[in-house]
Amino acid sequence: VRLVVIKEARDGVSFDILNKEYSNSLQINPPHPRFSRGFDVKRDPKPGAIINTYVYGMTLNQYLDNGNLPLADAEYVFLSALELLEHLHHQELIHGDISPNNILVDEATRLAYLIDFGNLHSFGEIDSIFGTRITYAPEIVNLKEVSSKSDIYSLGASFIHALLGRPARYLEKGDQEDGFGVKYMLDEEKLQYGQEYCDFLEILFKT
């Protein structure tokens, strides 16, 4: 029995976008067992759909809904997510949309899984902005070359969001480079979470 996920073209997501996600996932060769992967594509009946392999777990966003991610879990999940990115980056590809919505965590093993490869890009120059606004790297919004560092930046931003329950940077500052940086390392948070918690946050900010 094969478990799958059916994603229909609806709610503002066109079939072309889904088809790109499907075809992008097949570019990753060899694949990784903890990546979602296109299994089939259905143009009919309209509006169409893609069928992906089923990925276990809750997203980081779902963890946010249930409260802050425990520190011990966060460190373990973060390291397992880095392992996934290393597999991708060895192929000179970036995920392009590392965010709390696209990182799943298996509740039993605490291993990270990646889904939604619709913004997969090769290392190098880009000509358009892509990804999630609260986590994409400065080089993406400034249309500079992307590399493994772009995904790692987004991974750090995603875990800061999961740990603090809010984004790593102010959106009202705009999307220029000076809008990125440490915004929330306050003394009050050290009292709330403890020094060890904040030490890990500082590592994330440095990514």
Side-chain angles (χ1 to χ4, degrees):
V1 177
R2 181 191 293 268
L3 295 177
V4 297
V5 174
I6 300 174
K7 297 179 70 172
E8 294 183 330
R10 60 181 181 179
D11 298 330
V13 179
S14 69
F15 176 77
D16 288 341
I17 291 174
L18 290 181
N19 195 38
K20 182 179 180 183
E21 177 186 337
Y22 167 82
S23 59
N24 281 356
S25 73
L26 300 183
Q27 291 182 39
I28 304 169
N29 189 24
H32 194 286
R34 300 206 317 268
F35 288 170
S36 66
R37 186 168 174 84
F39 179 66
D40 199 1
V41 59
K42 301 290 186 183
R43 295 183 178 273
D44 294 306
K46 302 297 184 184
I50 62 172
I51 302 173
N52 287 341
T53 53
Y54 181 79
V55 176
Y56 296 90
M58 293 197 308
T59 68
L60 284 183
N61 257 345
Q62 290 170 320
Y63 270 103
L64 289 176
D65 291 338
N66 295 329
N68 289 326
L69 189 65
L71 178 60
D73 289 348
E75 291 175 333
Y76 190 84
V77 174
F78 181 78
L79 292 175
S80 74
L82 280 177
E83 175 193 337
L84 297 180
L85 292 183
E86 182 180 25
H87 180 89
L88 196 60
H89 298 159
H90 275 316
Q91 301 178 42
E92 297 193 350
L93 296 169
I94 68 165
H95 180 280
D97 193 11
I98 298 294
S99 68
N101 276 328
N102 291 331
I103 301 169
L104 272 69
V105 182
D106 186 312
E107 293 180 74
T109 65
R110 291 298 188 261
L111 290 173
Y113 290 72
L114 288 183
I115 62 173
D116 191 352
F117 290 87
N119 287 291
L120 191 76
H121 280 74
S122 298
F123 288 5
E125 296 181 357
I126 58 173
D127 57 12
S128 62
I129 297 172
F130 52 86
T132 298
R133 192 179 179 200
I134 63 170
T135 59
Y136 55 38
E139 58 268 29
I140 291 176
V141 73
N142 289 291
L143 300 181
K144 297 182 179 180
E145 289 191 359
V146 295
S147 67
S148 59
K149 294 179 181 179
S150 308
D151 274 347
I152 292 172
Y153 179 99
S154 297
L155 183 66
S158 296
F159 274 80
I160 291 167
H161 192 180
L163 288 165
L164 296 184
R166 55 179 182 248
R169 59 185 175 88
Y170 289 121
L171 294 183
E172 61 266 26
K173 290 285 187 180
D175 288 332
Q176 300 305 310
E177 290 186 57
D178 60 4
F180 294 76
V182 178
K183 302 295 183 185
Y184 294 118
M185 290 305 298
L186 305 177
D187 290 338
E188 289 82 357
E189 283 172 336
K190 290 186 179 180
L191 291 173
Q192 179 180 354
Y193 298 110
Q195 185 62 50
E196 184 181 4
Y197 204 90
C198 289
D199 287 345
F200 183 57
L201 284 170
E202 288 176 348
I203 292 172
L204 294 178
F205 275 118
K206 290 175 182 177
T207 63

